Amino acid sequence: MLLDTYGRQAVDLRVSLTDRCNLRCTYCMPEEGLQWLGKPELLTDEEIVRLVSLAVRDLGVREVRFTGGEPMLRPGLVGIVAACAELRPRPELSLTTNGVGLARTAGALRDAGLDRVNVSLDTLDPDTFFTLTRRHRHDDVLAGLAAAEAAGMTPVKLNAVLMRGVNEHEAADLLDWCLQRGYELRFIEQMPLDAQHGWDRTQMITAEEILERLTDRFTLTPEPSSTRGAAPAERWLVDGGPASVGVIASVTRPFCRACDRTRLTADGQIRNCLFATGETDLRTALRSGADDAEIGELWRTAMWGKKAGAGIDAPDFHQPDRPMSAIGG
C-alpha cells in the first residue's frame, strides 16, 4: 500500500501523459507556450503501463485518471487505456481533457475501456473562450461533450474556473446549461500552479463567492459530509435534487486531511502532493533495470514522506516551480 505517516492511503493515481497542450489558458501558461519536455524525457507507453500495473497490482491503487497537459495529444492514449483496462484488479479509468479532440476519439476511448471523462469548460461564450484560452476552439469542446455522452461515458463531468472580470458572471448560466443536458458541473478555485507565477489570491473567485452567485438563481442544499469521502468537491443538491453541483475549494478550504492521491508526471516523477516542491524519480530506476519490488519501494517511500497539508495558507508557502501542465491536474 501507499501509506503516509498521517494514516492516509493513496488509492487514486493521476498520470500525466504529456506536458503539451493545444490551448493557452491564461491561468495555466503564457501565450507563447512553454519549453516542452523532449521525447527521451517522456515515459514510453510501455513504461506508463508498467508503472500503472505495479500501482494497481502491488500498491493498492484503485482509480487511475489520465491527465496532461492535454492527454489527447498523446498518440498512444487509446492503447494505454486499453492496456490498463486489462489489469486485474481492474481500476476505474477516467480522463481529464480540454475536450478539443474528444469528438473524434470518444468512441475509441470508450471501446478501449475508459469509464468516464472530465472536460474543462469555463464559459458558454465563444469570445470569452478565446479570451481565456487564446484559441478559437469553443465549438470543438461542445462537440466533444456531445460525443462523450453519445459514447456512453455518462454522466459527463465539467470543470470550470471562474476568473474575476472575465467569466465570473456566468456561474449560474453554466449550471443551468449543465442541468439541461445532464452534465455534472464542478467549479474549481483558481490555484497557484500557473507557469508564469502570476496567481494572486486577492483576485481569485472563492468558493463562497461562487455559491453566492449560484444561490441567486438556485436553491442549494449541502449533501451530507459523510458522502464526500476523499472527493475534493463539496457538493450541493440543486433545487432539491437529484442533480447536484460541486465546488472544489482547493485554496480556501483545503481537503488535505482526506487526500488519497499519488501523481506520476509525464517524465516519470512521483509527486505526493499537487503543491509539492520535490519529486521522486522512477524513470531512472526503470531505465537502469530496477525490478518492480525496487520501484515499488521508491514509490512507497515517496508517499510516506507526504506532508500533513499543502500549506497553502502558510506565510512560507512556495508555489511549485513546475506548472500544472507538467504536474498533471
Side-chain angles (χ1 to χ4, degrees):
M1 294 189 293
L2 295 172
L3 297 173
D4 64 37
T5 57
Y6 298 93
R8 295 168 297 194
Q9 180 183 355
V11 297
D12 184 339
L13 169 61
R14 304 298 171 98
V15 181
S16 176
L17 298 180
T18 179
D19 61 330
R20 297 173 183 265
C21 190
N22 44 12
L23 299 181
R24 296 291 182 271
C25 295
T26 57
Y27 52 78
C28 185
M29 67 174 69
E31 184 172 5
E32 65 273 16
L34 301 170
Q35 182 66 48
W36 310 122
L37 292 167
K39 188 173 182 180
E41 298 173 87
L42 295 171
L43 294 177
T44 67
D45 294 358
E46 293 75 16
E47 288 170 335
I48 290 170
V49 172
R50 180 183 170 189
L51 289 175
V52 173
S53 176
L54 169 64
V56 170
R57 185 189 65 240
D58 297 340
L59 302 178
V61 164
R62 298 194 294 268
E63 301 177 31
V64 178
R65 177 179 295 189
F66 301 106
T67 70
E70 173 45 50
M72 298 196 69
L73 294 180
R74 178 88 185 201
L77 172 61
V78 173
I80 291 171
V81 171
C84 292
E86 293 294 321
L87 298 176
R88 295 296 180 269
R90 186 195 188 282
E92 179 181 330
L93 301 174
S94 61
L95 175 80
T96 295
T97 173
N98 62 31
V100 168
L102 194 54
R104 64 177 179 271
T105 316
L109 287 170
R110 181 60 169 169
D111 290 343
L114 191 69
D115 297 304
R116 60 183 180 86
V117 64
N118 289 58
V119 179
S120 298
L121 180 64
D122 303 321
T123 177
L124 301 175
D125 181 75
D127 292 333
T128 304
F129 184 89
F130 177 76
T131 298
L132 284 166
T133 69
R134 305 183 179 103
R135 298 290 186 271
H136 292 288
R137 307 300 298 270
H138 191 258
D139 287 345
D140 294 326
V141 178
L142 299 187
L145 288 166
E149 183 177 19
M153 290 186 283
T154 55
V156 175
K157 296 187 176 183
L158 264 70
N159 297 334
V161 175
L162 297 182
M163 303 288 289
R164 197 173 301 281
V166 180
N167 65 334
E168 59 184 304
H169 61 285
E170 290 192 69
D173 290 338
L174 278 163
L175 178 53
D176 185 58
W177 188 82
C178 287
L179 292 173
Q180 292 178 32
R181 289 158 179 79
Y183 300 154
E184 287 191 9
L185 176 62
R186 301 187 307 175
F187 291 99
I188 305 175
E189 289 180 338
Q190 183 195 2
M191 293 181 284
L193 291 168
D194 58 307
Q196 55 271 42
H197 285 210
W199 179 82
D200 183 349
R201 183 186 298 268
T202 64
Q203 292 301 305
M204 180 188 69
I205 304 295
T206 67
E208 289 302 323
E209 291 179 273
I210 295 168
L211 292 171
E212 287 175 8
R213 285 164 170 76
L214 295 180
T215 52
D216 284 343
R217 192 182 305 179
F218 303 97
T219 299
L220 302 183
T221 306
E223 285 191 343
S225 58
S226 60
T227 65
R228 182 180 179 186
E234 297 176 80
R235 305 209 315 173
W236 282 262
L237 296 177
V238 180
D239 293 338
S244 65
V245 63
V247 179
I248 300 178
S250 305
V251 177
T252 61
R253 293 199 289 270
F255 42 89
C256 303
R257 185 175 299 177
C259 181
D260 65 348
R261 293 177 181 160
T262 182
R263 299 174 183 275
L264 176 65
T265 68
D267 55 348
Q269 311 300 304
I270 290 298
R271 298 181 63 86
N272 59 26
C273 174
L274 186 61
F275 297 106
T277 55
E279 300 174 333
T280 297
D281 182 10
L282 298 189
R283 184 188 65 199
T284 298
L286 270 174
R287 294 179 180 177
S288 63
D291 61 23
D292 285 357
E294 293 172 288
I295 296 170
E297 189 57 32
L298 285 173
W299 204 329
R300 290 188 185 93
T301 301
M303 297 309 298
W304 186 252
K306 187 172 183 173
K307 296 180 179 179
I312 201 166
D313 289 322
D316 61 347
F317 173 76
H318 175 68
Q319 180 174 338
D321 291 331
R322 300 191 83 183
M324 174 72 81
S325 61
I327 295 171

